[in-house]
Amino acid sequence: MQLARLSFIEAVRNRIAYGVLVFLAVLLATAALISSVTMGRTQMLILDLGLSGISILGNLMAMLFAIQSLQQERDSRALYVLLIRLPRRWHYVLGKFAGLAAVLALMIAVMGLLLALTAYPFGAFHLGSFAQAMLATVLEAWMVIAVAMLFAQTSSLFLGVLLTLAVDIAGRFTDVMHQFAGQLHAQAMRWLVTAMYYALPNFAAINLRDQAGYIPAYDWGRMASVCAYAGAETALLLLFVIWVFGRKNLS
């Protein structure tokens, strides 16, 4: 818990967080300014731009916070001090994840509140589906944190961010990948693409932004499947991170 609290405070103090909030405010202000040319579709424009912006920025924050935090602690030798005080290495992984997950949830909630306040005056606004979409966005960011912690084991910040970004982008096109695998004639290539389909996190499966704010609420069965998949995928990724980190030579 102490490590989670320290990770939370460290991420909150990061200037990137405040820059992202300013950027989102500019994005929403821009959407409001061009509302005069949307012919009554102002709320749709604001919600579409805002939800997409929150997802992109949330994932970028997850990547940068996780990779930067782990690599800075390693480079400053603070990691070794922490590991000496912890009974097991996996305590460090879970504590770091808990702190980063908490700060990302807080920041996405703040950005969601800002978006809701901006969109509310422009028409009928359904808080239920919007809140469900924001929860799915938080779960998406947690999955990205787990992926980023895996690639934080690399030698540089740039490489870690690049690999995490590649997985993030590929994970949004897993359905296309699955369809492509079915059209391949070469058995080896079909197995390879299918293996990639199952290995990559399926971010499209937890996307609830399509009708957020427009309908009263998403079906709770769908919501339960989103939470179950995101929770299971995050847990599997963290187990892999723990396995890699436990066998890493830190000397």
Side-chain angles (χ1 to χ4, degrees):
M1 292 298 295
Q2 181 71 10
L3 179 58
R5 185 178 68 84
L6 292 174
S7 300
F8 179 87
I9 294 173
E10 177 190 359
V12 168
R13 289 176 176 174
N14 198 315
R15 294 180 181 179
I16 298 175
Y18 302 104
V20 167
L21 291 178
V22 171
F23 180 82
L24 182 64
V26 172
L27 174 67
L28 297 178
T30 302
L33 287 174
I34 63 176
S35 62
S36 58
V37 297
T38 58
M39 299 170 51
R41 299 170 65 88
T42 303
Q43 188 183 72
M44 181 178 293
L45 173 66
I46 292 174
L47 286 174
D48 288 346
L49 287 176
L51 288 169
S52 298
I54 290 173
S55 175
I56 293 171
L57 294 172
N59 290 347
L60 287 175
M61 285 188 292
M63 294 178 202
L64 292 174
F65 287 174
I67 298 174
Q68 185 181 55
S69 177
L70 267 69
Q71 293 199 345
Q72 281 183 346
E73 287 181 354
R74 184 187 63 194
D75 295 341
S76 65
R77 316 296 288 185
L79 173 62
Y80 306 99
V81 177
L82 290 172
L83 291 179
I84 291 174
R85 297 180 178 179
L86 294 174
R88 295 289 186 275
R89 281 193 182 187
W90 61 267
H91 290 180
Y92 173 82
V93 174
L94 293 186
K96 180 63 68 173
F97 175 81
L100 294 173
V103 76
L104 260 296
L106 175 62
M107 295 185 66
I108 289 174
V110 171
M111 291 190 288
L113 177 62
L114 177 61
L115 175 59
L117 292 175
T118 305
Y120 180 79
F122 292 97
F125 179 77
H126 296 283
L127 183 60
S129 59
F130 181 82
Q132 289 174 322
M134 295 310 301
L135 174 58
T137 303
V138 170
L139 295 175
E140 179 184 317
W142 288 359
M143 288 170 60
V144 174
I145 291 174
V147 174
M149 290 182 69
L150 175 62
F151 292 121
Q153 316 299 324
T154 58
S155 58
S156 69
L157 174 66
F158 175 77
L159 181 59
V161 172
L162 183 63
L163 292 173
T164 306
L165 187 61
V167 171
D168 187 0
I169 295 174
R172 299 178 190 280
F173 296 95
T174 51
D175 291 340
V176 176
M177 192 179 300
H178 190 255
Q179 294 174 3
F180 178 67
Q183 299 173 358
L184 292 173
H185 298 290
Q187 189 72 14
M189 286 298 298
R190 184 185 304 173
W191 287 345
L192 176 61
V193 176
T194 302
M196 291 176 61
Y197 167 75
Y198 285 108
L200 289 170
N202 188 353
F203 291 107
I206 59 173
N207 181 4
L208 296 180
R209 294 184 294 272
D210 50 350
Q211 294 180 294
Y214 306 138
I215 60 175
Y218 289 98
D219 179 74
W220 284 105
R222 181 182 179 185
M223 194 66 205
S225 65
V226 166
C227 293
Y229 173 76
E233 184 69 30
T234 303
L236 287 174
L237 287 168
L238 285 175
L239 286 174
F240 192 41
V241 173
I242 289 171
W243 182 80
V244 173
F245 187 71
R247 285 156 179 76
K248 187 177 179 63
N249 184 7
L250 300 175
S251 58

